[in-house]
Amino acid sequence: MAINPGEEAALIGKMLRTRIDFSWIFEPVLLKRIEPSADDRAKTGEIIGMARFARVKGLPLRPDVQTALTASETIILAEAARRNLIDSIVVSDADVIARIAEHPGRYDEYRLSHIFITVGSSPKGKARTDQEALALANQVHARIKAGTAFAEVAEKLSEDADTAVHGGILPTMKGVTMNPLFLDHVGRLPELAVTPPVRGPDGYHLIRLESRTVANTRSARFWVEQDVIHDRLPTLIANALESGIPSRVRTH
């Protein structure tokens, strides 16, 4: 039975709007295997059993089911093609070294502390304007410059409750995972120095650089590969749509 292309396209659009995602099918095996629970196993058995029942009843021949099956197959094949294009991108050690040099600080690892001052409704429930928050952040910055220990000030004044109790210490992060606005400041900061107030989405941050580990080919490879894929994949997809299977490519 021929499938109506318009119906298939409409169903794919519905899947996209409802966030049905088949990309997980091709994800690498997790390093730590997650064993299914008893409920998972029971539900899996039920799904497989109901699918067998549907086949016995001839439900795959129903027009609406055929359209749904074709739409699902189309999405899975499209994801397989996308993964194939990603696999065609070759990133050498020389490529990684070049990328690190082109984007200094982006792939380095940072240990940071921060003090956060809220704009808007403060933890005490008082509305605070941007100007008031900046003035308070500048006062806090002045105390640190005068010699008060950063961790001590963070414990008393930071409005990020989760980190304040630990003296403002943040989880270790790569520059590539950091808000670009913060990286612009932190990337130029000497170790143990503190930024002036930096405006973030919800308020002002004073950021102290505890330590910085410079990127190398091993530590940066994964993140460089992700950046290269992000940069090159749209062109590869466009080429594939226009001319079929692209040749194997390099990043440089």
Side-chain angles (χ1 to χ4, degrees):
M1 173 182 172
I3 301 299
N4 185 313
E7 292 180 359
E8 180 189 3
L11 187 53
I12 290 173
K14 184 184 292 185
M15 289 178 176
L16 294 175
R17 289 193 300 274
T18 56
R19 300 294 189 268
I20 295 176
D21 183 10
F22 290 96
S23 63
W24 58 270
I25 294 171
F26 301 100
E27 288 293 340
V29 176
L30 296 175
L31 295 178
K32 181 179 179 181
R33 182 178 175 81
I34 300 176
E35 294 296 333
S37 66
D39 287 344
D40 290 337
R41 288 192 292 269
K43 189 64 177 177
T44 298
E46 178 184 309
I47 290 171
I48 292 172
M50 291 300 290
R52 289 172 179 162
F53 178 80
R55 293 186 183 100
V56 169
K57 288 293 186 179
L59 298 183
L61 299 178
R62 242 172 52 181
D64 60 332
V65 176
Q66 285 195 353
T67 301
L69 289 172
T70 300
S72 299
E73 179 186 51
T74 297
I75 292 176
I76 292 170
L77 287 173
E79 179 62 22
R82 192 180 77 90
R83 297 303 177 96
N84 181 263
L85 293 176
I86 290 173
D87 290 342
S88 76
I89 299 173
V90 179
V91 181
S92 68
D93 284 350
D95 295 330
V96 176
I97 292 169
R99 192 87 178 194
I100 291 172
E102 291 166 4
H103 302 275
R106 178 171 175 78
Y107 305 105
D108 293 349
E109 186 173 84
Y110 299 87
R111 287 185 63 251
L112 305 172
S113 300
H114 84 147
I115 296 170
F116 176 62
I117 304 298
T118 307
V119 172
S121 180
S122 71
K124 295 182 180 179
K126 180 182 177 181
R128 182 185 291 147
T129 66
D130 188 287
Q131 187 176 7
E132 290 170 337
L134 177 58
L136 178 55
N138 281 324
Q139 292 173 18
V140 174
H141 189 235
R143 288 184 60 175
I144 295 168
K145 289 180 67 176
T148 307
F150 188 94
E152 178 184 336
V153 178
E155 289 176 6
K156 293 179 179 179
L157 299 178
S158 179
E159 294 174 343
D160 177 358
D162 291 337
T163 63
V165 293
H166 303 294
I169 289 287
L170 293 164
T172 300
M173 66 186 76
K174 299 277 190 182
V176 66
T177 66
M178 199 182 301
N179 183 314
L181 176 63
F182 298 151
L183 179 60
D184 185 53
H185 289 270
V186 172
R188 295 181 275 114
L189 202 65
E191 287 194 1
L192 305 183
V194 179
T195 67
V198 179
R199 182 66 159 92
D202 301 311
Y204 286 91
H205 301 255
L206 302 173
I207 307 170
R208 173 181 159 101
L209 176 59
E210 304 294 341
S211 66
R212 173 177 177 169
T213 303
V214 176
N216 55 47
T217 53
R218 182 176 180 180
S219 66
R221 169 166 287 280
F222 171 81
W223 296 105
V224 168
E225 288 176 346
Q226 301 312 300
D227 281 346
V228 171
I229 289 168
H230 179 271
D231 291 347
R232 293 193 61 85
L233 188 58
T235 300
L236 292 176
I237 289 174
N239 291 341
L241 294 176
E242 289 179 4
S243 59
I245 302 173
S247 59
R248 197 164 181 81
V249 298
R250 293 183 60 83
T251 61
H252 283 72

